[in-house]
Amino acid sequence: MHHPCSTTLDRVPAGRCFALGKAALTVVSLFGSAVTFADDTHLPRVTVNAQHARDDAPLSTPTPTGSRLNLSSLDTPASVETLSARQIEARGDQSVNDAVTRTTGFTSTATPGNGGTALAVRGFAGQESVMTLYDGTRLYPGAGTMTFPFDTWQVERIDVLRGPASVLYGEGAIGGVVNVVPKRAQRESATTIQAGFGTDGQKRFALDTTGALGPMLSYRFYVSDNRGNGWAERGDAHTTSFGGAVKLDVSPTLSFTLDYDYARQMPATYFGVPLNNGTIDTSLRYRNFNVGDALIAYFDQSTRLTGVFRAADGITIRGQLYYLNTRRHWRNSESYEMDPSTRRVTRSDYIEILQHEHQVGNRLDATIDRTLAGHANRFVIGVEANQISFQRDSNTPFGGTSVVNADAFDPGVFASPDPTLPEFRTLTRQVALFAEDRFDITPRLSAVGGVRYDYLDYSRRQLATGSEFGKTFSNVGWRLGLVYQLSPSASVYGQYTRGADSIGSLVTLSQSQTRFDLATGEQWEAGFKQELPNGRGFWTLAVYQIVKRHLLATDPLHPTVTQQVGQQSSRGVEVSGALTLGYGFSVEANASLLRARYDNFDESVDGVAVSRNGNVPNNIPQQTANVWLTYTPVRDVVIGTGLRYVGRRYSDNANTAPIPAFTVFDASASWQATRRINLALYLRNLGNRAYAVTSESPTEWLLGPSRSAQVVATMKF
């Protein structure tokens, strides 16, 4: 028997079905209407496809990020969180990184070298350990760098999954996953125009439009342009993105969608400031120590063709063919160290790098909703294949130094004795088979499990010498979890997951790295989730432990020899929730308490193996918290204020270079001036706090932006 909700799919796109035995089944629609059916069969408590995230019921809104079964968070034995476009806009977050770091446990480790997008969660950091998806498609980072997506204008919602996700997306993601879901083509006509200006020369323009093109076609088109002078010296930045989609509804059971996105970034050429005896020298806060002719440029394109075919009642086949292309260019002096006694700064790492990456892939899966031995069951099986080519040109070994005065600063120009030449080219081929299943053991208890097998073939050619080497990898990731429904709006769960992580960026491994296998990891997690009555809010609680094995570590007896024997672990507690308080007040908040440690890790220091057992990994805070308070004093006026707290971190494995904790306050105010026009004010870092977002080294920190303000006008028609 197919899922009974499938017959009401068009009427209740964000509905949810609960098995109530012989009682009536009520399906609550997005608009709160109810349709009642009589049924004598235990029904599968699985969610219906949803086009938009529901802000008043985020836990019961289906999301494909935590499972390819398209379950809601309440039905998923994992920590899944959703940020809707409305939430992102209300807080004024115009970058994906800013939006994501308001979710539970996520912090930024962004630097220009990793594309300004890297994150940390649950004790693990970097583009490999915290994976980025765009519309469910994995983007493979080259040399630890990811530059797309970055703008929230085209975003319908952002889903985050905390914990290992190899069973869903392959090796990597031992810490978590971020899935940026773009806006879809709609048949109902709607157009939004936005313009803004602010301090530091901020200027913004954006357009989004959607509608029908005849009886079978619908479209979406967006464009956004942001520029500014930056908060630091010579901090000019300019980003542009545009794209959209065309959807063809061939019949009620068959549709095709063609999506295209283009993004161009010229971010600020800022790599941080040198420290003065291990602390921030506030007199240098706005100084940019890079060379005067520095350059950073990113160009990204994404093309996706998606087909959905409802072959029969309860059977849906989906396929996606995609092509991703990126070009990146850096030319900078990136390392700075100051002598406090002379206030002279030594600049080094005169680096020029060009990256060219192409990824083509295809994913095909089938979802089957059927009863199994009289129990509701949903099953997904699929296959995925990718080919990624990557080339790097550089001026390795990145020679060149200069000494400048920290106070009477002359930026100079880029000068390296090493020419920029083609360095290496790699080719990575990946094939995966995956399957997931949800089985209702009883009307209240369900089992959710999955398995994925990945095979990867990697080869690299050094262009200067013509030498070649390669490696093949394989991995089986799996998870098994139980969800017990205490009520239609509350559940408890537990799960065990096994995954794998690369020992470097998979598509740019060095010859020494290919001597080793993938690192492996496992997680135990348990939690509780509940939505409050009448859409008043929700809350979640999760406890977990992750152990990652086979880290690269120095042999204590032979410090020049590297072994794959290290181990790192983390355990923690996460709490999140939202509540409507009454009298116009509402609050959203989350907190994470974490204990991350090296369990078995030695590193070579001046040729001697030194144990780092018990130390905290780099750039990992042990506590984080976010709060956003909203107040509506009168109709059409909304005032918001929030804080971000990030605990102390370390910038070295020895834990001798601490990075202080920080708290940053933001605020917003919006006025719905007319039915079509909204005016908003966004304030950032109200206290003008000088703080470090992350560290380039124990002697150099990247500072967060200073206080800023922006006024934005939005017109919808």
Side-chain angles (χ1 to χ4, degrees), residues 167 381-385 430-435 451-455 475 477:
V167 67
I381 188 169
V383 61
E384 183 173 15
Q430 174 258 357
V431 177
L433 301 173
F434 57 87
V451 63
R452 176 175 171 127
Y453 170 76
D454 278 273
Y455 175 84
N475 177 67

Side-chain angles (χ1 to χ4, degrees), residues 21 39 44 60 159 210 318 332 392 412 455 457 635 691 710:
D39 194 85
S60 56
D159 297 332
T210 187
R318 297 176 180 85
N332 309 274
R392 186 171 97 162
Y455 175 84
D457 180 76
R635 184 179 177 182
Y691 66 98
Q710 186 180 40

Side-chain angles (χ1 to χ4, degrees), residues 248-298:
L248 173 64
D249 292 304
V250 179
S251 70
T253 60
L254 179 63
S255 66
F256 295 95
T257 304
L258 178 64
D259 295 87
Y260 175 79
D261 299 276
Y262 172 86
R264 171 186 177 272
Q265 296 183 73
M266 304 289 288
T269 56
Y270 172 78
F271 282 81
V273 297
L275 302 183
N276 189 341
N277 290 318
T279 61
I280 298 173
D281 186 333
T282 55
S283 68
L284 305 180
R285 179 181 180 184
Y286 301 98
R287 183 62 45 84
N288 184 347
F289 283 90
N290 207 340
V291 294
D293 58 347
L295 170 68
I296 304 177
Y298 310 137

Side-chain angles (χ1 to χ4, degrees), residues 423-443:
E423 184 182 355
F424 66 83
R425 183 182 297 123
T426 73
L427 183 65
T428 307
R429 294 186 175 94
Q430 174 258 357
V431 177
L433 301 173
F434 57 87
E436 285 189 85
D437 188 77
R438 175 196 159 114
F439 179 74
D440 275 10
I441 302 171
T442 72

